[in-house]
Amino acid sequence: MPATQLFCLENPLLDIQGQGDAKLLEKYGLKANDAILAEEKHMGLYEDLIQNHNAKLIAGGAAQNTARGAQYILPADTVVFVGCVGKDKYADILREAVKEVGLRVEYRIDETAPTGRCGVIITGHDRSLCTDLAAANLYKLDHLKQPHVWKLAEEAKVYYVGGFHLTVCVPAIMALAEEAASKNKTFIFNLSAPFIPQFFKDQLDQTAPYWDVLIGNETEALAYAESHNLDTKDIPTIAKHLAQLPKKNTSRPRTIFITQGLDPTIVATGNASGEATVKSFSVIPIPKEEINDTNGAGDAFAGGLVAGIVQGKTLEQSIDMGQWLAKLSIHELGPS
């Protein structure tokens, strides 16, 4: 097997994706463009989507989508994804999906819980995500530290962790963060959803000194600003603040990427003296008639961007790769 280049950690999920409307969102107390963890009142959603909304079963989980996207670009078998699944047919569906793109997975298998699932309600060009983590919530540090898994982590030169994993196993995230900082490797983190900075602020702040690259969108950046009392809603100002936070490995600059849908992507880069420069990159517009599905577009952008970073591309080239992969994804059903 070729050496691992990119090692990814988060929550493997099966997306149950169907077309909905305002009435369906209201039924389950959901917003049109949001991501939340499921409560008891949401548990009927998954069967509802399958029975009444022509739902498709699609391999998902944000960082697993990103890993698949990066693997689409990088040499086969050089991207590894870890997380926890159940011992069931849904885990088998995930394995088949990742095998198609040559992504290597090292799942922890938990026999006490089913594979996690994410209900995806598509309304127009919006998507509402409601996740029942189930087995994905049971990932453990001892799995990461198993010799055959940790060997893959040690081989990798870039780590990618999704913020959703902050609700699961912070010690596993910190093990990768420390490995990156001590060996001068690149640690990439994704804010993932507004509820992460809102409700998991302390866990998020624990990872902050290790961020070499941070990826998020404008709603996540605004949620961060609010939870950290920044008193601003200006995205470039927030990005600059994030770039200037204290850093563990000062031999690498920190770069912040904040996407804004069709509006320009904001990029802030910090330097050793604590200053930051901010740039803006236009997004290539996509005609509305070409938009099939926006679910996973952000994950795809991250996949292309991260692949560019792994390949040592310039900032501009990496962003181009992210936009190119996001455009491909938007033409397909689900985070393909």
Side-chain angles (χ1 to χ4, degrees):
M1 295 280 274
T4 305
Q5 295 185 26
L6 173 63
F7 190 95
C8 306
L9 168 69
E10 206 194 51
N11 310 329
L13 303 169
L14 186 73
D15 283 357
I16 300 172
Q17 178 169 321
Q19 293 290 332
D21 52 23
K23 193 175 170 185
L24 181 64
L25 292 171
E26 187 182 340
K27 180 178 178 181
Y28 292 101
L30 299 170
K31 297 175 186 172
N33 207 22
D34 201 11
I36 66 163
L37 292 177
E39 301 170 33
E40 194 59 43
K41 67 180 179 181
H42 300 118
M43 290 305 165
L45 170 65
Y46 308 101
E47 198 59 32
D48 194 348
L49 284 168
I50 290 169
Q51 296 298 329
N52 304 313
H53 297 275
N54 194 29
K56 303 287 187 289
L57 301 182
I58 304 166
Q64 186 167 241
N65 295 339
T66 293
R68 287 165 64 203
Q71 183 59 88
Y72 182 69
I73 295 170
L74 296 169
D77 302 312
T78 61
V79 181
V80 172
F81 174 83
V82 298
C84 187
V85 297
K87 191 175 183 179
D88 53 27
K89 64 180 180 181
Y90 295 134
D92 295 337
I93 292 171
L94 292 183
R95 285 192 190 87
E96 283 304 311
V98 300
K99 193 188 294 181
E100 287 175 14
V101 292
L103 173 65
R104 179 171 178 177
V105 293
E106 291 290 342
Y107 292 143
R108 177 180 184 270
I109 298 165
D110 192 287
E111 298 190 13
T112 68
T115 296
R117 55 200 177 158
C118 179
V120 183
I121 301 174
I122 304 294
T123 53
H125 296 321
D126 291 328
R127 89 288 178 270
S128 185
L129 310 178
C130 184
T131 298
D132 174 22
L133 285 171
N137 203 34
L138 300 173
Y139 191 77
K140 302 284 187 275
L141 177 62
D142 60 6
H143 177 268
L144 178 65
K145 287 292 188 173
Q146 286 181 358
H148 74 285
V149 179
W150 190 246
K151 178 177 178 289
L152 297 171
E154 288 181 317
E155 284 178 3
K157 57 185 180 180
V158 177
Y159 300 114
Y160 179 86
V161 178
F164 288 124
H165 205 72
L166 287 174
T167 74
V168 176
C169 186
V170 175
I173 297 173
M174 296 309 295
L176 293 177
E178 290 283 4
E179 175 72 9
S182 64
K183 306 274 180 65
N184 195 27
K185 298 177 179 183
T186 302
F187 184 78
I188 305 174
F189 196 82
N190 196 311
L191 286 173
S192 294
F195 80 82
I196 295 297
Q198 284 169 338
F199 303 116
F200 295 88
K201 176 179 178 289
D202 292 346
Q203 296 91 326
L204 178 64
D205 290 349
Q206 195 179 339
T207 68
Y210 297 89
W211 301 337
D212 295 310
V213 175
L214 181 71
I215 303 169
N217 64 30
E218 76 276 32
T219 55
E220 294 153 9
L222 290 168
Y224 180 95
E226 187 178 346
S227 68
H228 289 76
N229 301 313
L230 298 191
D231 196 29
T232 181
K233 293 187 175 181
D234 180 64
I235 299 300
T237 302
I238 298 167
K240 192 171 183 178
H241 170 87
L242 290 164
Q244 292 173 317
L245 289 172
K247 197 167 186 300
K248 184 89 170 180
N249 178 10
T250 54
S251 62
R252 285 184 181 275
R254 176 185 288 136
T255 306
I256 311 296
F257 296 87
I258 306 295
T259 61
Q260 305 185 93
L262 295 175
D263 291 331
T265 296
I266 303 300
V267 181
T269 305
N271 60 27
S273 61
E275 298 167 345
T277 55
V278 179
K279 293 181 179 179
S280 174
F281 294 85
S282 296
V283 173
I284 302 161
I286 300 171
K288 280 200 168 182
E289 63 272 13
E290 290 184 23
I291 297 176
N292 185 20
D293 183 3
T294 58
N295 180 32
D299 304 335
F301 172 80
L305 179 73
V306 170
I309 291 168
V310 171
Q311 292 179 332
K313 302 290 189 188
T314 65
L315 188 66
E316 290 77 7
Q317 288 171 326
S318 297
I319 290 171
D320 279 349
M321 289 168 70
Q323 291 192 5
W324 171 77
L325 201 61
K327 187 176 179 180
L328 278 187
S329 170
I330 285 168
H331 288 151
E332 301 291 335
L333 177 68
S336 305

